[in-house]
Amino acid sequence: MTTINEMHQIFNLQKIQYDRAQPMTYEERVTVLNQIEALIRDNIPELITALQADFGQRDPLQILSADLTGPLATIAYIKKHLRKWILPAKQRSGLMALTGTKQYVYNEPLGVVGIMSPFNAPIDLALDPAVEAIAAGNRVMVKISEYTPKTAALVQKLSQQYLNEKNFAVVTGEADIAAQFSALDWDKLVFTGGSETGKKVLSAAAPNLTPVVLELGGKNPAVVLPDANKQMTAAKIARSRSGNSGQICLDTDYVLLPTDQLDEYVGLITAQLAQVFPTYINNSEYSAIINDRSYDRILGMLTEARQRGTRLITINPNNELVPDVKRRLIPLTLAINPDRDLQIARNEIFGPILSIFTYDSLDEAIAFINSHENR
């Protein structure tokens, strides 16, 4: 685990190493990109194992696709185009051309970039923006979510083996390290995560007037039109919501269905999910909830909805003893027309619950979305 003092030392080292007048050359940037690529390719089984250990149960194929292939694809694309990107771009001079004046745009690096990645895709959302920043000539420091400590520790260890801290470094630690990390005098700070934490990051960065990029979750709706292909639509909704047990910020958070098609879609979605996940316990393809706090939060949402009389449909085809607190497994649950003041209607769910609302006209559906909390 990184101490606050060690974090400051690495930050100061990168600040000293960065020189705006002499940014990293094309060759130096490609070298760092190759080192990150080797870090991933050489250690795919170890990275998958670490993430599975942090979750307790998670689909290895999902880890491969969601966490490891993205940075590799980005590196390949960047190396294909980087030489051209770093060249000055000639611009039209307008009337100034009559004087023989030529105009060029020079793309200059910013300096030292901080990146904070979330637990649901801790490697991808750390390394993907990192390779882009490095390609632009910046130095990079990464803080991986404390909710995935084994993954964070492994990526830190590997980065120390494959890279030089003056170019790229990983820091680990709990919330106190994250708070100090976001308060450093970055040239740019990138954060991916929840809205409430995003507010804290933005507040910590404000005294330094740090440019901040926030990639936050929210209430992502899906509107199903009356003439939609029902089988295909139900399959897409079911598979989207079940990925990583709903712990994906771009998942469908709630669905709007035509009132007269509700029961048919409920049957189709239930059948689709039962086919994809006939069992939950010891099913490596079904992800556990990341930690006890998140598990309790999701169960609290379901308990509140149940107490208020919400129609809840638990999809448990094998009649297993779930929710399972020891394994942090919660079955996929449909919540039909929950009251607007319930947590599952107001807050981002980020778990295996799909709220379904009905509408009678498209204008009504649009008005519902516009009046709904979206972050």
Side-chain angles (χ1 to χ4, degrees), residues 80-116:
K80 183 177 179 180
H81 298 280
L82 183 57
R83 189 180 295 276
K84 179 180 178 181
W85 288 345
I86 65 176
L87 295 175
K90 186 176 180 180
Q91 299 292 302
R92 292 186 178 182
S93 303
L95 293 176
M96 294 298 292
L98 298 176
T99 67
T101 301
K102 296 181 180 179
Q103 294 181 353
Y104 295 89
V105 174
Y106 288 81
N107 297 309
E108 297 182 350
L110 296 173
V112 181
V113 176
I115 297 170
M116 304 177 73

Side-chain angles (χ1 to χ4, degrees), residues 102-329:
K102 296 181 180 179
Q103 294 181 353
Y104 295 89
V105 174
Y106 288 81
N107 297 309
E108 297 182 350
L110 296 173
V112 181
V113 176
I115 297 170
M116 304 177 73
S117 70
F119 74 84
N120 59 326
I123 301 173
D124 175 77
L125 293 173
L127 298 187
D128 218 34
V131 299
E132 293 172 355
I134 288 167
N138 300 288
R139 317 282 171 167
V140 175
M141 286 178 63
V142 168
K143 167 67 175 71
I144 294 177
S145 173
E146 59 270 22
Y147 288 178
T148 52
K150 293 182 175 62
T151 302
L154 176 60
V155 176
Q156 182 187 52
K157 175 185 174 182
L158 294 175
S159 71
Q160 292 169 346
Q161 294 175 3
Y162 283 77
L163 295 113
N164 191 314
E165 283 187 341
K166 71 180 183 180
N167 298 320
F168 176 87
V170 176
V171 299
T172 62
E174 298 297 325
D176 59 331
I177 296 293
Q180 291 285 332
F181 187 92
S182 57
L184 291 172
D185 188 13
W186 303 104
D187 295 291
K188 178 166 277 189
L189 177 61
V190 179
F191 169 82
T192 305
S195 298
E196 292 305 313
T197 305
K199 294 176 184 178
K200 296 177 182 178
V201 169
L202 200 58
S203 177
N208 295 319
L209 297 178
T210 300
V212 180
V213 176
L214 298 177
E215 198 266 292
L216 309 177
K219 303 291 287 183
N220 302 320
V223 179
V224 179
L225 299 181
D227 60 348
N229 182 312
K230 294 184 178 63
Q231 288 284 353
M232 182 180 69
T233 301
K236 287 187 175 182
I237 291 172
R239 292 175 183 272
S240 167
R241 192 55 184 164
S242 60
N244 203 31
S245 288
Q247 298 169 106
I248 301 174
C249 62
L250 297 178
D251 269 350
T252 300
D253 190 275
Y254 66 95
V255 175
L256 288 160
L257 291 172
T259 301
D260 60 355
Q261 297 180 8
L262 172 62
D263 291 338
E264 184 177 5
Y265 268 106
V266 166
L268 290 170
I269 293 171
T270 301
Q272 180 65 218
L273 289 173
Q275 178 183 343
V276 176
F277 298 114
T279 64
Y280 296 107
I281 296 175
N282 296 324
N283 183 348
S284 64
E285 294 183 1
Y286 189 75
S287 294
I289 305 303
I290 185 62
N291 55 30
D292 292 340
R293 179 181 176 184
S294 295
Y295 178 90
D296 292 340
R297 178 185 60 80
I298 296 167
L299 280 190
M301 288 183 172
L302 289 172
T303 300
E304 179 192 48
R306 186 176 295 109
Q307 291 173 345
R308 290 280 292 275
T310 306
R311 179 187 173 193
L312 298 178
I313 301 172
T314 301
I315 303 172
N316 185 12
N318 206 34
N319 295 317
E320 295 173 292
L321 295 177
V322 286
D324 185 326
V325 64
K326 183 178 180 180
R327 296 180 175 88
R328 299 192 306 277
L329 295 174

Side-chain angles (χ1 to χ4, degrees), residues 40 64-76 124 127-128 131:
I40 299 172
L64 186 64
S65 62
D67 254 291
L68 304 179
T69 59
L72 293 175
T74 302
I75 291 171
D124 175 77
L127 298 187
D128 218 34
V131 299

